[in-house]
């Protein structure tokens, strides 16, 4: 087992819970989403009335000329509602570079990059869609995913999951977000929603009710009948990602501390499973290697798994590859750098944890 060291760290002022590298430039630029709960001074006020604030940090990783050391440079900060998730559109939309932000206010916000040379103006707000069925703004937006990871689209869809168990399907077009559908997917919090990148008519959702569900958008989901309703996980399902290199391969994770690998053509049982020793909050497949899977395991750090899967023979094997244990709090946000110099010492990874409010950069060797 490899245990890499931290190359650089950064301490945001608020608790850090999501991190995403930019897929469009070679600057090793990344975004950090943060969450801060401001408790009311009124002892009789409920926690629902507490204010949740957040901030987006735009950061660069910078190496010295000899490549022997690294530092993190903050370029921009944007004040927002508390943030649950940040995801880039990995293909440009109408030649624009877009990123979505899921907020505790219940809103989905879209930002775009600017052509300005000023790094302090790298991102600007483009549009926001509030959950119109939540008149009191008590529902939080927990996750988002874009439909265009494999195939570029001029009008991509975005799916979001909400804390009341509902899921929204939206379309982005002409700098606007339009809600196309909304349905009650889970009895408790819907922690995660994700597209099948090879068949974007299918949306997977996971909830605190320990259910993994699949919905076919060609069939009206408002009737509450998913095409899959799996109880294979034994606790809340909070992470899902379709493998964007290989069709029919899906990874899911749960508070039950297990990563499951599925063949989406036959989901009666998973191809393989691996216990992480901590709840699995985020899963990210490697940008180029279809077998490597980055895992944020909450109370047990961050890990890279080597997933050898043969969907045709319904066989898979999961082997732990790397563990990064420098974080001292809940491991939430993680991502692979999208730029890579083949001559360097390993692929750059960014991770962040919650209560200790820290971001680390390290390399997968």
């Amino acid at each position: 087992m490899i245990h890499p060291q931290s190359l650089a760290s950064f301490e945001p002022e608020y608790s850090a819970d999501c991190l995403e590298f930019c897929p469009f430039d070679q600057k090793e630029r990344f975004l950090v989403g943060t969450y801060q709960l401001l408790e009311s001074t009124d002892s009789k006020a409920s926690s629902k009335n507490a204010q949740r604030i957040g901030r987006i940090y735009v950061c660069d990783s910078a190496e010295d000329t000899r490549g022997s050391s690294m530092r993190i440079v903050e370029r921009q900060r944007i004040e927002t509602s508390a943030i649950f998730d940040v995801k880039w559109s990995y293909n440009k939309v109408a030649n624009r570079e877009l990123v979505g932000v899921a907020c505790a206010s219940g809103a989905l916000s879209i930002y775009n990059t600017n052509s300005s040379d000023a790094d302090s103006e790298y991102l600007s707000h483009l549009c926001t869609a509030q959950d119109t069925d939540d008149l009191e703004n008590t529902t939080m937006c927990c996750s988002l995913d874009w439909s265009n990871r494999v195939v570029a689209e001029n009008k991509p869809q975005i799916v979001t999951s909400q804390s009341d168990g509902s899921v929204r399907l939206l379309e982005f077009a002409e700098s606007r977000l339009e809600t196309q559908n909304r349905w009650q997917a889970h009895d408790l919090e819907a922690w995660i929603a994700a597209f099948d990148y090879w068949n974007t008519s299918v949306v997977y959702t996971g909830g605190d009710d320990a259910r993994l569900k699949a919905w076919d958008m060609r069939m009206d989901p408002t009737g509450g009948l998913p095409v899959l309703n799996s109880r294979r996980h034994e606790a809340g399902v909070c992470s899902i990602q379709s493998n964007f290199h290989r069709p029919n391969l899906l990874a899911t994770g749960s508070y039950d501390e297990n990563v499951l690998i599925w063949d989406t053509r036959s989901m009666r049982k998973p191809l393989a499973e691996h216990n992480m020793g901590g709840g699995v909050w985020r899963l990210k497949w490697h940008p180029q290697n279809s077998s490597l899977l980055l895992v944020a395991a909450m109370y047990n750090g961050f890990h890279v798994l080597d997933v050898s899967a043969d969907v045709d023979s319904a066989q898979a094997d999961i082997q732990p590859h790397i563990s990064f244990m420098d974080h001292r709090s809940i491991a939430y946000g993680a991502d692979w750098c999208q730029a890579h110099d083949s001559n360097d010492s390993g692929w750059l990874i960014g991770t962040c944890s919650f209560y200790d409010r820290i971001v680390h950069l390290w390399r997968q060797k």
Side-chain angles (χ1 to χ4, degrees):
M1 177 71 71
I2 302 172
H3 295 277
Q5 294 182 337
S6 176
L7 301 174
S9 62
F10 167 69
E11 298 181 13
E13 295 177 31
Y14 303 154
S15 299
D17 60 359
C18 51
L19 185 151
E20 281 265 314
F21 277 94
C22 176
F24 297 112
D25 59 41
Q26 302 300 315
K27 298 179 180 179
E28 296 180 334
R29 176 162 290 181
F30 60 93
L31 310 181
V32 178
T34 61
Y35 181 111
Q36 190 69 28
L37 183 66
L38 301 180
E39 296 288 356
S40 172
T41 56
D42 183 357
S43 60
K44 296 181 180 180
S46 70
S47 60
K48 291 184 178 180
N49 295 325
Q51 185 181 6
R52 294 174 172 85
I53 63 173
R55 183 179 291 153
I56 302 169
Y57 290 89
V58 179
C59 299
D60 285 340
S61 61
E63 292 186 280
D64 66 15
T65 55
R66 295 171 295 176
S68 58
S69 64
M70 179 176 287
R71 59 194 175 94
I72 297 174
V73 181
E74 179 187 333
R75 300 299 189 187
Q76 183 185 10
R77 57 174 65 183
I78 302 171
E79 306 301 323
T80 65
S81 170
I83 297 169
F84 274 99
D85 197 13
V86 173
K87 285 195 175 76
W88 287 94
S89 165
Y90 277 77
N91 279 297
K92 293 183 180 181
V93 179
N95 206 35
R96 287 190 291 191
E97 301 170 357
L98 305 177
V99 62
V101 179
C103 295
S105 63
L108 167 68
S109 293
I110 305 297
Y111 293 79
N112 71 291
T113 65
N114 296 310
S115 57
S116 169
D117 292 334
D119 287 326
S120 61
E121 300 175 357
Y122 176 69
L123 285 183
S124 61
H125 178 261
L126 189 60
C127 61
T128 291
Q130 191 69 43
D131 186 352
T132 55
D133 288 345
D134 180 26
L135 300 179
E136 297 181 356
N137 292 335
T138 57
T139 297
M140 295 179 285
C141 187
C142 299
S143 75
L144 75 119
D145 198 19
W146 295 78
S147 64
N148 60 346
R149 182 66 184 256
V150 171
V151 179
E153 305 172 39
N154 285 328
K155 296 181 179 180
Q157 292 181 317
I158 304 172
V159 63
T160 71
S161 64
Q162 310 292 125
S163 61
D164 64 352
S166 66
V167 171
R168 286 187 298 166
L169 185 69
L170 305 99
E171 181 182 80
F172 176 85
E174 298 177 357
S175 302
R176 293 183 297 106
L177 285 166
E178 181 177 343
T179 299
Q180 295 184 315
N181 214 330
R182 184 186 190 276
W183 70 97
Q184 196 66 30
H186 295 271
D187 295 331
L188 299 172
E189 291 90 341
W191 291 124
I192 189 72
F195 284 99
D196 182 330
Y197 294 134
W198 300 90
N199 178 10
T200 55
S201 295
V202 174
V203 169
Y204 299 101
T205 63
D208 212 44
D209 53 8
R211 301 295 183 91
L212 168 64
K213 298 184 179 183
W215 309 84
D216 191 329
M217 296 299 99
R218 293 164 295 191
M219 304 164 60
D220 185 3
T222 56
L225 294 176
V227 295
L228 170 75
N229 188 354
S230 173
R231 303 182 185 183
R232 182 58 179 76
H233 280 293
E234 297 179 356
V237 179
C238 40
S239 52
I240 303 171
Q241 194 178 43
S242 170
N243 190 310
F244 41 84
H245 303 291
R246 299 178 58 188
N248 309 315
L249 199 61
L250 183 76
T252 65
S254 164
Y255 289 135
D256 67 8
E257 303 186 352
N258 290 311
V259 171
L260 304 184
I261 303 298
W262 305 83
D263 178 353
T264 58
R265 297 169 298 181
S266 178
M267 296 189 65
R268 288 172 293 180
K269 64 177 183 178
L271 297 174
E273 62 182 285
H274 187 81
N275 187 279
M276 301 305 305
V280 181
W281 183 252
R282 278 294 176 265
L283 296 166
K284 299 282 186 71
W285 291 103
H286 191 281
Q288 294 182 12
N289 188 327
S290 64
S291 298
L292 295 182
L293 182 64
L294 179 60
V295 182
M298 296 185 71
Y299 293 101
N300 194 35
F302 296 90
H303 310 268
V304 175
L305 301 179
D306 192 346
V307 180
S308 301
D310 185 349
V311 293
D312 293 328
S313 61
Q315 294 180 345
D317 180 62
I318 303 175
Q319 294 295 327
H321 180 52
I322 294 175
S323 293
F324 183 78
M325 306 300 291
D326 284 15
H327 290 269
R328 297 293 179 260
S329 182
I330 306 175
Y332 271 151
D335 200 19
W336 305 88
C337 181
Q338 303 300 306
H340 180 61
D341 182 353
S342 60
N343 295 321
D344 70 16
S345 57
W347 206 288
L348 188 65
I349 294 172
T351 51
C352 65
S353 48
F354 199 69
Y355 292 113
D356 57 352
R357 303 178 181 180
I358 196 162
V359 175
H360 283 292
L361 297 179
W362 47 281
R363 291 193 183 275
Q364 173 251 331
K365 297 183 179 179

